[in-house]
Amino acid sequence: MTRVEKPHSDVMQDCKRNLPFLLLCHKSISILHCSAAASKRNKKQDHCDRNLKSCSPRYRKPSDQCGLPEDCITLQWRLNNFYLFIPAVQKHPAPEDTVTASFGKFISEIKPQHLSPVVLHRSKRMVLDSIGVGLIGSRTDVFELALQFCQHMYAPDHISSVYGRRGIRLSPTLAAFVNGVATHSMDFDDTWHPATHPSGAVLPALFALSDMMPANSKPSGLDFLLAFNVGIEIQGRLMRFSNEARSIPKRFHPPTVVGPMGSAAACSRLLSLDPSQCSHALAIAASLAGAPMANAATQSKPLHIGNASRLGLEAALLASRGLEASPLVLDAVAGVAGFSAFYEDYVPQPLESPDDGGHVFLLEEQDMAFKRFPAHLGMHWVTDAAAAVHELLVGHGLGQVSPHQVQDILLRVPQSKYINRPFPESEHEARHSFQFNACSALLDGEVTVQSFSPPAMSRPELHFLLSRVRMEHPEDNPANFNRMYGEVQVTLVGGDILKGRCDTFYGHWRNPLTNESLRKKFRSNAEVVLPSEKVERLVEVVEELDRLDDCGALLSQLQ
Amino acid sequence: MLRKGITESFGAAIQALNAIHLTDGVITRSKRMMLDTLGVGLLGSRTAVFSKALKYSQVFTSEQRSSVWGRSDVILPPHYAAFVNGIAVHSMDFDDTWHPATHPSGAVLPALLALAETLPSQPSGLDLLLAFNVGIEVQGRLMRFSKEAYNIPERFHPPSVVGVMGSAAASAKLLGLSPAQCSHALAIAASSAGAPLANAATQTKPLHIGNAARRGLEAAQLAQIGVEGNPAILDMDSGLGVYYKDYSPSPLADSDSGAFRWILDAQDVAFKRIPAHLAMHWVVEAVLAARAKFLDRTGNFDLSQIQNITLRVPRSKYINCPLPTTEHQARHSFQFNACSALLDNKVTVASFSQAQINRPALRELLSKVQLETPEDNLPSFDRMYCEVEIKSAEGLSSLARCNTFYGHWRKPLSQKDLEEKFSLNASTVLCTEGVEGVIDVVGNMEKVTECSVLGSYLRMTSTSEQLYSMRIM
């Protein structure tokens, strides 16, 4: 299976055509006072800048995150001094060289021309996929409960739209919440490396916030994409502050840690907050971050993404009202934990200023994994391996798999307690069960949305297979999405042994979904909820998002 | 018989605890906590952070309407009423502190009062007391699952961890949820827990209490409509255990087994006399004593005679702030509180105004402070002390030590002083009838048939409050 995507030649051509775009450059904090006129005044200049820079994607070796870089030691030393000599700092009130300040500055000062064609292309794929899984997610029980809750507890507020529900509008933070819940309700949304689900925390918040802005001064498509990329980038940067974070997590569910920060960053960008307000927004969001892993595989897990989206938006809105928080929240200060509270091995690094030319978006170097079926990412390896065995079994026998041929099923997968569930009882548990996904694929040759329905889950032949499963956790199979593999070994009653192995499933960042496959996934998700004209329109609108003068064209297609 | 899981035992106890289980001691102590919380909340409704949070919250509307303490004219959805009232309670760091260290009442009372207003049949005073005590008890139990938690914290701000759990438990109790729903409420609340300590001494710290109240209430209501979380959330290291390094949970005794004892019966709370971090209270008392001795020796008090001031306090980085610039930093500064006490012979609400913080005489004194952290002075509110030594240029020296300040649980405020603190705080916002009404209702809480009467007194604002609220609009 080598369906590797072609180089992004189409994107490069787009770039050469000198994309027209609009910039949201109002400096006002208050979203009710966005000035469309000001946007247009600055348009020409930014356009020129863009012509100079946009066609030269810069590549850079990934920096070594394992050791403690020298400049980082210097920084910590400086921080200690800063603490000891506060009088000196008071004369210079803004300690510009803190990690926290560098993040605030980045969020505030990044511009559309800093987005390379590769980043634009990849982020548009994320937007499309996220909308699709959000739309199909708006038909789940947990989404229904979240929506009921918001409608029951709050009066109708005709502001922000809800995925797939025409006629329902909610207050912006509540819309961000329910749409975030929809996005993660089936565990169908994108996964990055180090492991988190980045889009679900950001996109619903940006939709909700854009809905809040007056009709005549909506952000342009490019501004929207910039804010989205800021939200993704901040999550990626924060994930790299800890080596621990490179492995499948054990304590905090990553989207609850970096998700609110990404949402706060993206919303701050869309609100054009100043550098200090952006860093306060991050610090306020840090106080709303962090949820235990134990709630994975329950209805509360989708709530994690909904809350990340909602609370990040809230943090940005509070910061825009002048609320202040720790100016050192991202820095490592011994004895007073900031964001480091969530990690055992926290080593923060400042973010390069976008204007120095030294910044490259992480998305440029590290692409996204898109799921082909709604389950934890780890399930995709074991499912592809089991599907290969299914093919062999079908060839071996009567054209369909008979469970009673099967003596023993051995899964060689990484050790990770929360996705090791021998007999899952709910759909949420099934989405987090190596055993369930392997057996479904053995039986059916694939895992689909339907595999998690109560009738599919309760099949006796499936339970028979589940009772045959053993697990092994080989030393060379680490709980890490960049290095793990899945191996399925089936011993038949007659003693024959069939093996399947998957090192890189189709959809993984090393073997990305083709645009065609991605759109196919989108269409099948979106069509559950929307009429096909709207589905096609969404595909088009997202494709041309960076050229849209007004992101309202996208907002109007979601329900 | 299978041993009950820990989370399960909590769910069962929250549901089963009954008014007959409330002891006289617990009733008295919890009424004092309620009164104090209302007072500091009313006073806190005048702060900048409260105004920002209120304006933000007024974006939301709902059919169900809950009041904001001390505002006759503002109605909010219950979650946001809990949010802003919780912020008011902690806005000045003037609210109660328990051992192990957390601020227990601010996460619970605002959630309960906001919820009570929306219920179809009004809970009685006794219902309110019971739910309040359930919320306090759960926080106390959870604090005891970690030894680390006995010390002044370094990672997570405790009210952001146990507070939201207490609010969820109390709200679940008032809603009359089933044992399983109570467990799910705790599980959902656990996903809303945990804020890093770095935001202490900033405007965002009061939000920790407001969010604990709001999101605990939200968790209980989500559980009520059927949302589920991990039913073993308290049993697991990957559950509530993520917030601690040495998590060791134990089940809650069955309330009918006779083995159940309220923690509040055994461990009283501390009430603050100044709006600052609890540790500041040792410093202020010690400084006032040292100051009096110094005065005895020198006859008249002349600041220029002071050469240096040595404070011997526990090691705790976030309350060691040599030169605070904001009120929030000042409330978390050993040095500031020592110098204010030395300069003014008292520390009061007014000491934390920007004008007072910026006084040159105070800045001058601050430059003379040295902090020492002796090994035997542990960062625990049960064991810490403060020693102050003032030295003059002529070599005169005055030493004083405070082991237990007045207001600490070993030396509780008299009822008279507690009521006086309340009256002083509440009368900045309420008219006399309102102030006296609240004292009366809280004092007789167990006999009150409808707790909504409390809300009506909390809305009896004085004219100056109305003027004030008009001015800031």
Side-chain angles (χ1 to χ4, degrees), chain A residues 80 83-84 86-87 90 142 144-146 148-149 151-157 159 171-174 177 212 250-252 256 280 283-296 298-301 303-304 307 310-311 313-315 317-318 321-329 333-344 417, chain B residues 49 52-53 55-56 59-64 77-80 83 153-156 160 184 187-200 202-205 207-208 211 214-215 217-219 221-222 225-233 236-245 316-326 363:
Chain A
N80 290 339
Y83 193 81
L84 291 174
I86 283 180
Q90 280 181 323
V142 61
E144 199 57 53
L145 289 175
Q148 257 180 37
F149 177 74
Q151 290 186 296
H152 178 68
M153 296 306 306
Y154 296 91
D157 200 351
I159 300 179
S171 296
T173 54
L174 299 178
F177 174 65
M212 219 174 145
K250 292 186 181 142
R251 295 198 309 143
F252 292 100
T256 66
H280 285 306
I284 297 167
S287 273
L288 300 164
M293 274 310 292
N295 274 335
T298 75
Q299 280 184 334
S300 291
K301 193 187 177 203
L303 263 57
H304 289 177
N307 275 321
R310 160 172 81 140
L311 298 168
L313 170 56
E314 187 170 288
L317 292 173
L318 285 167
R321 288 177 183 275
L323 192 82
E324 293 181 352
S326 167
L328 291 172
V329 74
V333 182
V336 192
F339 197 65
S340 62
F342 300 109
Y343 299 100
E344 302 279 342
K417 211 168 161 186
Chain B
V49 58
K52 287 174 189 174
K55 279 193 183 167
Y56 168 72
V59 172
F60 298 90
T61 53
S62 71
E63 317 258 306
Q64 296 184 331
H79 300 146
Y80 284 89
F83 178 61
E154 294 193 347
R155 281 205 311 154
F156 292 103
S160 72
H184 285 302
I188 298 165
S191 276
S192 302
L197 202 66
N199 277 332
T202 74
Q203 277 188 333
T204 297
K205 191 187 178 201
L207 264 68
H208 293 176
N211 277 318
R214 162 170 74 141
R215 299 183 72 194
L217 171 57
E218 202 173 274
Q221 289 170 323
L222 284 165
I225 63 167
V227 175
E228 295 182 349
N230 189 324
I233 196 78
M236 300 164 72
D237 280 348
S238 64
L240 196 74
V242 300
Y243 300 104
Y244 300 98
K245 287 185 177 155
S316 174
K317 200 157 180 181
Y318 84 104
I319 42 180
N320 169 358
C321 181
L323 269 179
T325 54
T326 68
R363 311 309 282 185

Side-chain angles (χ1 to χ4, degrees), chain B residues 300-375:
Chain B
N300 67 331
F301 188 69
D302 179 3
L303 289 174
S304 63
Q305 294 171 2
I306 295 178
Q307 190 166 48
N308 68 56
I309 306 149
T310 305
L311 305 179
R312 298 193 184 97
V313 290
R315 180 184 299 274
S316 174
K317 200 157 180 181
Y318 84 104
I319 42 180
N320 169 358
C321 181
L323 269 179
T325 54
T326 68
E327 58 159 308
H328 297 279
Q329 287 173 353
R331 297 184 203 281
H332 294 79
S333 163
F334 282 129
Q335 294 90 339
F336 175 85
N337 285 276
C339 294
S340 288
L342 199 52
L343 192 59
D344 306 327
N345 200 23
K346 64 183 175 190
V347 176
T348 65
V349 170
S351 306
F352 299 91
S353 71
Q354 207 59 50
Q356 295 293 100
I357 294 172
N358 292 343
R359 284 179 295 170
L362 186 81
R363 311 309 282 185
E364 167 81 23
L365 268 185
L366 280 171
S367 69
K368 296 177 179 175
V369 175
Q370 278 176 338
L371 215 64
E372 286 177 10
T373 53
E375 290 280 305

Side-chain angles (χ1 to χ4, degrees), chain A residues 4 381 481-484 503-505 507-512:
Chain A
V4 179
W381 280 268
F481 292 142
N482 213 25
R483 294 159 63 201
M484 67 172 283
D503 290 315
T504 306
F505 66 88
H508 189 271
W509 47 84
R510 287 192 300 267
N511 187 13

Side-chain angles (χ1 to χ4, degrees), chain B residues 11 66 140 198 210 235 270 290 306 409 421 450:
Chain B
S66 302
D235 302 61
I306 295 178
W409 48 84
K421 176 187 170 188
E450 287 200 348

Side-chain angles (χ1 to χ4, degrees), chain A residues 100-116:
Chain A
T100 313
S102 78
F103 272 65
K105 195 166 157 19
F106 174 85
I107 297 165
S108 182
E109 295 179 358
I110 189 86
K111 296 191 177 62
Q113 63 261 29
H114 297 118
L115 297 173
S116 74

Side-chain angles (χ1 to χ4, degrees), chain A residues 416-450:
Chain A
S416 176
K417 211 168 161 186
Y418 85 103
I419 43 181
N420 170 358
R421 295 173 193 272
F423 299 101
E425 289 180 3
S426 68
E427 59 160 303
H428 297 279
E429 288 183 8
R431 297 183 203 282
H432 295 78
S433 163
F434 280 128
Q435 294 90 336
F436 176 86
N437 287 275
C439 292
S440 291
L442 273 179
L443 201 56
D444 306 328
E446 61 178 353
V447 176
T448 65
V449 170
Q450 285 313 313

